[in-house]
Amino acid sequence: MSQNLSDTQSLLEKAIDRHPLLMAPDTSITAAIAAMSESDTSYILIVEKTQLLGIFTERDALKLIANKTNLAELALSQVMTTNLMTINLVETHNIYSVLASLESCKINYLPIINEQGQVIGAIAPDSLRPIVQEICDRAAAAEEFLRLNAELEHLVQKRTEQLIANNQELQQVLTNLQTAKQELINSEKMATLGKLIAGVAHEINTPLAAIRSSVQNISEFLKEKLEELPTFFRTLSPENQQYFFALLQKSTQETDTLSSKEKRQFKKALQRQLESEKIPEADSLASTLADIGVYHEIEQFLPLLKSLDSSQILETAYRLSTLQKSTRTIATATERAAKIVFALKTYGRYDNSAQKVLANIIDGIETVLTLYHYQIKQGVELVRNYAPNLPSILCYPDELHQVWTNLLHNALQAMDYRGTLTIEVKQQGQNLLVKIADTGKGISPEILPRIFEPFFTTKMPGEGSGLGLDIVNKIIDKHYGTIEVESQVGETTFTIFLPLNQNQE
C-alpha cells in the first residue's frame, strides 16, 4: 500500500503510547503488578537513569503466578526481558516497516527511544489496534473506489453504444427524407421538404455535440486522473473521506435549475461566510463549492475547508462531480436525439397503443430547460412561476416534452436569445395551465392565424421545418387540451390547458 511520508509518519505517531508505565529495576513484582492493574496497562518498561533496561509484561506476570513463584521475594530486574528491540523515532517514519518488524520478530511491544537512548514511548497492542483498523478501512475505501470506477466505465460504454444506435437511426431518417426529396422533385412541397431536412439536420447536431463533448470530458478525465485516484483515496483520513463523499452527494442532488444570477448571489454569500471564518482564498473556494453544487449549509464542511489539504480534496470532488454531470448530459442528450425521431414519426403516424402515465408537468419543462441551459444563460432572464403542490396528470410525457421543446425553442429564437422568458404553471379549475411568454418581436396579425399549419414557417431555410407548432397542436389535442396564443410587439404568450381528468379515451 503506497503512502506519502507525512501520512505514514502520522499513523506511526498515533500508534505510540506516549505515557508508558516506567519503573526502576529494584521494584518488587507485587508492586509492579499492582501498578499495572491500577494503570490498566499490559506492560512496564524498566529504566534506570532514563536508560531502558528491559520490559515486564502481563504475560510474564501470568507465567509467574502459574508457576506459583513467591512474588514477594522477586524484583523486576530478576524477571524482566532484556536485550529488547527498539526503534529511534528520528530514524524511523514508516508505520508499515514497524509492523513488518513486529511480525518478523514475533514481538508485541516495541519501545521508542530518542537519539540519547532515552525512552519516549512504546508501541503496544492496545495502541496499535486502532491504527491497524484505520489501515484496513483505507484499503476497503480504495477497493470501493475501484468498484465504482468499474461501474462508471461500464456506464460510459453503455451510453456510447446508445449514441451509436441513435446516430444510426437518425442517419437513416435523414437518408429516407433525402430519398423522398428526390421523388418529389417536381412537387410543390419540394422546397418545404428541403427545409425540413435542413431543420432536422440542424436540430440533431445539438444533442450529438453534447454527447461528443461529454464523452470527451469523461475520456480526458479517465486519461489524466484515473491513475492518481487510488493514491488520493488511500491518503484520505476517515474524516476527510466522509467530507469527500458528502460533497459528491451534494453534486448528485444538484438539479442545475438556478439562473446565472442566482448562482452568483449564492457564490457571493458563500464567499462572505468563508471570509467570516477566516478561511484563506475564500473567493476560489466559493467558486469551487458553487460548481460542485454546495450553495448553502456549509457548516458541516468548515473543518475540511480549514485543513491544509482542502484544495486537493475540493478539486478532486469538483472533477468527479463534473464526471457525474457529463453522464447525466449523455443520458439527457440521448433522450433528446430519440425525441427528434419520435417527433418526425408523430407527424406522419400516431401510436395509439401507448399508455398514459402519471407525470409531473414541471419535471418535463425542467428537463427541456436543462437542454437549453447554455443558450439561456448567455443573455436570457428566466422567470419561473410554479404553483406549489401541483397534482400529476395522466399524459404522454415524451410527447409533452416535445411541446415544451418547440415552444421554448421558438421563444428563445424570437428574442434572439436576449430578453425575459417567463414560465407559469398553475391549476385553474379542472385544468393545469401552462404559460410560456417571451419578450421577442412578436407575431404579426397577418401571420398569427397560420402558425399552426404544417410546414408553415417564417424562418430562413435551414432554421426551421414548419412542423413545430403543428406537432404541438396535435399533441395537445391528443391530451384533450387546448392551446391559445396572444402576441403583440415585445410580448408573445402561449397558453396551454391540460385537463386533470383525461378519461375520455
Side-chain angles (χ1 to χ4, degrees):
M1 181 179 294
S2 174
Q3 299 280 346
N4 59 43
L5 179 60
S6 62
D7 189 57
T8 57
Q9 186 172 12
S10 172
L11 289 173
L12 181 58
E13 288 286 347
K14 291 180 182 179
I16 296 175
D17 177 7
R18 290 289 184 175
H19 304 285
L21 186 58
L22 306 178
M23 286 191 170
D26 58 356
T27 305
S28 69
I29 294 299
T30 54
I33 293 175
M36 289 172 64
S37 176
E38 183 178 350
S39 302
D40 193 23
T41 184
S42 61
Y43 69 102
I44 298 174
L45 296 180
I46 295 90
V47 297
E48 186 171 34
K49 297 180 180 180
T50 71
Q51 297 301 310
L52 178 65
L53 300 179
I55 187 171
F56 181 74
T57 68
E58 189 176 52
R59 186 175 181 181
D60 296 331
L62 291 174
K63 286 183 179 179
L64 291 174
I65 295 172
N67 293 331
K68 299 181 181 180
T69 305
N70 188 354
L71 303 183
E73 298 177 356
L74 293 177
L76 286 174
S77 59
Q78 297 174 274
V79 296
M80 67 183 181
T81 301
T82 58
N83 299 322
L84 301 178
M85 175 182 175
T86 63
I87 63 170
N88 189 323
L89 192 58
V90 175
E91 300 174 355
T92 304
H93 302 287
N94 193 325
I95 183 65
Y96 300 107
S97 64
V98 172
L99 291 173
S101 297
L102 291 171
E103 176 65 23
S104 62
C105 297
K106 305 300 181 183
I107 58 176
N108 294 323
Y109 300 89
L110 184 59
I112 312 296
I113 61 173
N114 58 21
E115 292 178 319
Q116 290 74 39
Q118 298 171 331
V119 176
I120 60 174
I123 294 178
D126 290 341
S127 62
L128 192 60
R129 191 172 295 110
I131 303 307
V132 173
Q133 183 61 48
E134 182 174 342
I135 293 173
C136 293
D137 290 343
R138 292 188 181 189
E143 183 177 351
E144 175 65 8
F145 167 76
L146 293 176
R147 184 189 67 80
L148 292 174
N149 181 69
E151 290 183 359
L152 176 61
E153 290 181 340
H154 175 72
L155 177 61
V156 171
Q157 181 181 0
K158 183 178 179 181
R159 296 302 189 194
T160 303
E161 291 171 355
Q162 291 177 350
L163 164 64
I164 294 172
N166 279 283
N167 185 56
Q168 291 174 344
E169 185 175 1
L170 288 169
Q171 293 298 329
Q172 185 61 47
V173 170
L174 291 175
T175 300
N176 293 342
L177 289 173
Q178 186 63 40
T179 301
K181 176 183 176 182
Q182 296 301 320
E183 293 174 353
L184 297 173
I185 190 79
N186 296 319
S187 171
E188 295 180 357
K189 295 183 179 180
M190 190 266 296
T192 302
L193 190 56
K195 295 176 184 179
L196 170 62
I197 294 174
V200 171
H202 174 76
E203 288 186 29
I204 66 173
N205 281 337
T206 299
L208 291 179
I211 294 171
R212 283 193 297 268
S213 176
S214 297
V215 170
Q216 182 178 358
N217 289 340
I218 294 172
S219 177
E220 289 177 354
F221 175 86
L222 294 176
K223 180 179 179 181
E224 296 174 3
K225 295 293 182 182
L226 183 60
E227 294 182 358
E228 301 175 8
L229 288 176
T231 300
F232 168 77
F233 273 92
R234 285 195 295 268
T235 57
L236 279 181
S237 66
E239 183 180 16
N240 283 345
Q241 285 182 25
Q242 293 179 1
Y243 291 135
F244 180 80
F245 287 113
L247 287 171
L248 290 185
Q249 184 66 24
K250 283 279 189 181
S251 172
T252 303
Q253 295 169 350
E254 182 193 3
T255 58
D256 200 24
T257 57
L258 297 176
S259 67
S260 299
K261 181 178 179 181
E262 289 171 328
K263 288 185 177 180
R264 287 194 299 270
Q265 291 173 345
F266 277 122
K267 176 186 170 296
K268 290 180 180 179
L270 280 174
Q271 181 178 345
R272 288 193 296 269
Q273 187 173 357
L274 293 174
E275 289 172 345
S276 70
E277 296 290 340
K278 308 299 184 184
I279 296 176
E281 301 182 0
D283 179 61
S284 175
L285 288 177
S287 296
T288 303
L289 287 170
D291 289 338
I292 293 174
V294 180
Y295 299 113
H296 46 73
E297 298 179 359
I298 67 168
E299 289 76 10
Q300 61 175 311
F301 300 110
L302 289 179
L304 169 65
L305 298 175
K306 293 179 180 179
S307 66
L308 295 178
D309 53 354
S310 62
S311 297
Q312 181 188 11
I313 294 174
L314 284 176
E315 178 63 21
T316 304
Y318 165 69
R319 293 297 300 271
L320 283 175
S321 70
T322 302
L323 207 64
Q324 292 174 324
K325 292 176 184 176
S326 293
T327 61
R328 293 198 295 268
T329 299
I330 291 174
T332 302
T334 303
E335 292 174 3
R336 169 70 177 138
K339 289 169 188 173
I340 295 173
V341 177
F342 170 78
L344 292 171
K345 293 178 179 178
T346 299
Y347 178 74
R349 179 179 63 85
Y350 288 94
D351 183 7
N352 295 319
S353 64
Q355 297 296 315
K356 288 183 177 180
V357 297
L358 277 174
N360 186 301
I361 294 300
I362 294 176
D363 288 345
I365 294 173
E366 288 297 327
T367 297
V368 178
L369 287 175
T370 299
L371 297 176
Y372 284 96
H373 174 69
Y374 176 79
Q375 292 91 332
I376 291 173
K377 73 177 184 179
Q378 299 304 311
V380 176
E381 179 184 0
L382 179 60
V383 179
R384 296 177 173 90
N385 295 326
Y386 298 158
N389 304 320
L390 289 174
S392 297
I393 67 169
L394 277 172
C395 62
Y396 304 101
D398 287 343
E399 296 187 18
L400 288 181
H401 287 171
Q402 192 65 40
V403 171
W404 318 133
T405 298
N406 290 346
L407 294 180
L408 292 171
H409 180 75
N410 289 346
L412 292 171
Q413 279 196 331
M415 297 187 293
D416 197 21
Y417 304 96
R418 293 288 187 275
T420 301
L421 177 64
T422 303
I423 304 174
E424 179 181 3
V425 184
K426 65 180 180 180
Q427 183 173 347
Q428 183 171 298
Q430 295 302 310
N431 295 289
L432 276 185
L433 178 146
V434 180
K435 282 188 177 182
I436 298 177
D438 65 74
T439 56
K441 56 190 176 183
I443 305 172
S444 67
E446 296 79 15
I447 294 175
L448 197 61
R450 300 191 59 195
I451 61 173
F452 293 109
E453 292 180 9
F455 296 108
F456 177 79
T457 180
T458 59
K459 298 175 183 177
M460 297 295 292
E463 293 184 2
S465 63
L467 292 177
L469 290 179
D470 175 66
I471 291 174
V472 166
N473 197 26
K474 282 183 167 62
I475 293 173
I476 297 301
D477 184 65
K478 187 176 180 180
H479 286 79
Y480 302 98
T482 58
I483 182 169
E484 301 173 356
V485 57
E486 298 176 353
S487 185
Q488 59 187 19
V489 177
E491 182 178 8
T492 298
T493 302
F494 281 86
T495 305
I496 298 95
F497 297 89
L498 294 172
L500 295 173
N501 183 6
Q502 298 189 21
N503 294 325
Q504 296 96 324
E505 46 197 311

